[in-house]
């Protein structure tokens, strides 16, 4: 055989396969065959697209912590006593259960209860959030505290299957955020509170709705909840306007008797307060802001007291003016503002207290205008003895109960709560008088103790009835309001004695803060020491949002 000469590969004759469209042209290298034993995932990042970040030195501020690496992470540690399990019994009021969960991180909250109040496709997230915001708006507009509004909003969203919700409440804005999981986009909705009104009957109806929704025994669909909410909005006030005007007059008369007035003083204070109420309604009908309404409402009682000093009658004018001030001091907003501050809602508390400040300035302006006129006319307005100089225990206790009764009517409370609020107010006055007059305790300390009992009893009644504590507390603190100290401070300022006037107004502010703090402390004591029947394990809630200033 003759050996074939060696021919370079590029000069060999080309076969049919060489002319295939998938054959690389001459001069182009053949790619390496894929490794069949180690296939690459289609989700793998190609080499070169994610270069490794150079490691920072050990002590650098930009170096990630060592626990960020799974290989270098410390071993898991379980305490010897174990991890505490949060148990929230269904027998506890929904307010306590929701407050306890709101102060937990999302990852530590208990597994949500099984709810069957939505369609098979899952809850309608936008409608649930909208219903939650509408209910929160009614509660906040009715004067409820920010913590209780958040608890109600969380109860509604959780009952309809949205457990990863974070409600946020400020003075005029409500918002709620729902995130289905850590990898889903959050859904946020908000609502602005533009109008506020005092109607505790409507507030109680909203609480019943929240209780029914958060209770497993009652099946309430979204449509049913919307229907009941619309009925609550359409309901008229339980008392007509003339009843409210009469209640305001009786309140001022009872307050004047409480500070030592007689029958003539009672009638004068009642007439002055009713005139002030009608004048305030006239200003409201003309669209004037609430500040000017308070200025107008404070003038007739002060004018009535100044007019009586110009007559030959022996009338205690200070009791007349003090009775008119009792109907105007915004005790409800003051208690709500201090409560929000103590529970960690500082923005809402600052806004509420600023509102209280504006209203008090309006009262001061209205009374001072009349007092300056009385001093110019030489009306004989002299500072008299301090409050409670006349010791009439039975008469003053009955006057305190009548004052609380009138406050309950002005707050548009349900008729079945008026009697309890009246009795609570009588107890508060009896405790205050026993401490201040009999035991010679400081008026500020006596006021704080009496207000603490009011808050304790109000919280107990609210827990028993699964309702708000406001109807049982707000009217009961009426006899404790610092009307006399406010009047004497304004009178001293009108007589150009600023030091004495500011001292009296400071005392009035201290009494007001003692009322607010006492009411809040009484409510906290009821949650701290009163066990809920059927509760298992720790039923308390965590501390406020900020602790020890950090």
């Amino acid at each position: 055989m003759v050996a074939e000469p060696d021919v370079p590969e590029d000069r060999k004759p080309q076969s049919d396969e060489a002319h295939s469209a998938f054959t690389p042209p001459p001069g182009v290298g053949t790619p390496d065959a894929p490794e069949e034993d180690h296939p690459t995932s289609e989700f793998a990042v190609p080499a070169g697209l994610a270069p490794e970040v150079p490691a920072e030195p050990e002590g650098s501020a930009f170096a990630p912590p060592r626990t960020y690496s799974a290989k270098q992470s410390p071993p898991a540690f379980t305490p010897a006593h174990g991890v505490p399990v949060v148990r929230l019994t269904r027998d506890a009021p929904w307010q306590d259960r929701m407050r306890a969960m709101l102060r937990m991180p999302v990852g530590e909250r208990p597994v949500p209860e099984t709810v069957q109040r939505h369609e098979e496709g899952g809850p309608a997230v936008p409608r649930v959030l909208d219903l939650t915001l509408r209910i929160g708006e009614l509660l906040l507009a009715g004067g409820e505290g920010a913590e209780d509004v958040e608890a109600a909003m969380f109860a509604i969203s959780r009952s309809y299957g949205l457990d990863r919700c974070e409600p946020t409440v400020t003075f005029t804005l409500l918002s709620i955020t729902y995130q289905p999981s850590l990898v889903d986009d959050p859904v946020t909705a908000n609502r602005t509170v533009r109008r506020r009104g005092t109607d505790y009957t409507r507030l109680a109806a909203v609480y019943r709705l929240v209780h029914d929704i958060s209770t497993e025994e009652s099946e309430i669909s979204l449509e049913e909840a919307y229907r009941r909410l619309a009925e609550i909005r359409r309901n008229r006030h339980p008392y007509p306007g003339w009843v409210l005007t009469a209640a305001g007059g009786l309140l001022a008369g009872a307050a004047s008797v409480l500070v030592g007035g007689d029958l003539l003083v009672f009638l004068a204070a009642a007439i002055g307060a009713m005139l002030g109420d009608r004048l305030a309604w006239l200003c409201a009908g003309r669209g004037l802001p609430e500040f000017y309404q308070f200025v107008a409402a404070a003038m007739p009682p002060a004018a009535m007291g100044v007019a009586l000093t110009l007559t030959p009658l022996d009338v205690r004018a200070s009791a007349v003016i003090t009775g008119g001030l009792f109907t105007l001091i915004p005790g409800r907003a003051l208690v709500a503002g201090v409560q929000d501050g103590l529970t960690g809602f500082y923005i809402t508390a600052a806004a509420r207290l600023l509102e209280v400040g504006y209203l008090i300035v309006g009262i001061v302006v209205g009374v001072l205008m009349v007092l300056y006129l009385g001093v110019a006319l030489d009306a004989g307005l002299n500072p008299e003895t301090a409050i409670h100089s006349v010791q009439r225990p039975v008469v003053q206790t009955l006057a305190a109960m009548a004052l609380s009764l009138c406050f309950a009517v002005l707050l548009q409370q349900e008729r079945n709560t008026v009697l309890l609020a009246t009795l609570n107010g009588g107890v508060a006055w009896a405790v205050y008088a026993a401490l201040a007059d009999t035991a010679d305790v400081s008026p500020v300390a006596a006021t704080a103790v009496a207000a603490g009992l009011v808050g304790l009893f109000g919280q107990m009644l609210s827990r028993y009835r699964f309702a708000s504590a406001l109807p049982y507390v707000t009217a009961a603190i009426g006899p404790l309001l610092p009307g006399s100290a406010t009047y004497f401070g304004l009178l001293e300022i009108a007589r150009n004695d600023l030091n004495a006037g500011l001292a009296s107004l400071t005392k009035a502010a201290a009494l007001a803060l003692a009322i607010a703090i006492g009411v809040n402390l009484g409510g906290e004591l009821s949650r701290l020491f009163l066990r809920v029947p059927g509760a298992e394990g720790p039923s308390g809630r965590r501390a406020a949002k900020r602790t020890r200033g950090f």
Side-chain angles (χ1 to χ4, degrees), residues 120-137:
E120 295 181 359
V125 175
R127 289 181 61 80
V128 172
L129 297 184
D130 179 70
L131 176 67
T132 302
L133 290 173
R134 290 179 183 273
I135 291 178
E137 178 191 11

Side-chain angles (χ1 to χ4, degrees), residues 330-381:
R332 173 181 59 88
L334 176 65
V335 171
V338 174
Q339 180 180 358
D340 288 341
L342 294 177
T343 52
F345 295 86
Y346 301 114
I347 297 178
T348 307
R352 288 186 189 272
L353 294 178
L354 183 61
E355 180 190 34
V356 171
Y358 273 110
L359 298 182
I360 292 179
V361 169
I363 298 172
V364 169
V365 170
V367 174
L368 277 181
M369 290 172 60
V370 178
L371 290 182
Y372 275 126
L373 179 61
V375 171
L377 295 176
D378 196 14
L381 293 170

Side-chain angles (χ1 to χ4, degrees), residues 374-520:
V375 171
L377 295 176
D378 196 14
L381 293 170
N382 297 319
E384 300 173 4
T385 55
I387 192 171
H388 319 314
S389 59
V390 181
Q391 300 297 331
R392 298 179 297 177
V394 177
V395 174
Q396 290 179 331
T397 302
L398 293 177
M401 297 177 64
L403 190 151
S404 299
L405 173 65
C406 295
F407 253 125
V409 174
L410 289 176
L411 294 172
Q412 302 279 2
Q413 291 188 195
E414 292 180 310
R415 290 177 174 84
N416 59 354
T417 64
V418 171
L419 178 60
L420 295 175
T422 302
L423 295 177
N424 202 7
V427 171
W429 175 258
V431 172
Y432 172 83
L435 293 176
D437 298 336
T438 305
D440 293 331
V441 179
S442 169
V444 177
T447 301
V449 173
L453 289 178
V454 168
L456 177 62
F457 293 154
Q459 194 62 232
M460 292 172 59
L461 290 171
S462 69
R463 291 163 67 92
Y464 175 72
R465 297 196 171 194
F466 293 91
S468 172
L470 289 181
Y472 308 104
V473 171
T474 307
I477 64 173
L480 304 177
L481 294 176
S484 181
T486 304
Y487 163 70
F488 287 125
L490 298 179
L491 179 59
E492 295 289 0
I493 293 176
R495 298 176 70 250
N496 293 327
D497 192 350
L498 295 181
N499 293 331
L502 292 178
S504 185
L505 290 180
T506 302
K507 178 183 177 182
L511 292 173
L513 290 178
I515 293 173
I517 295 175
V519 168
N520 179 264

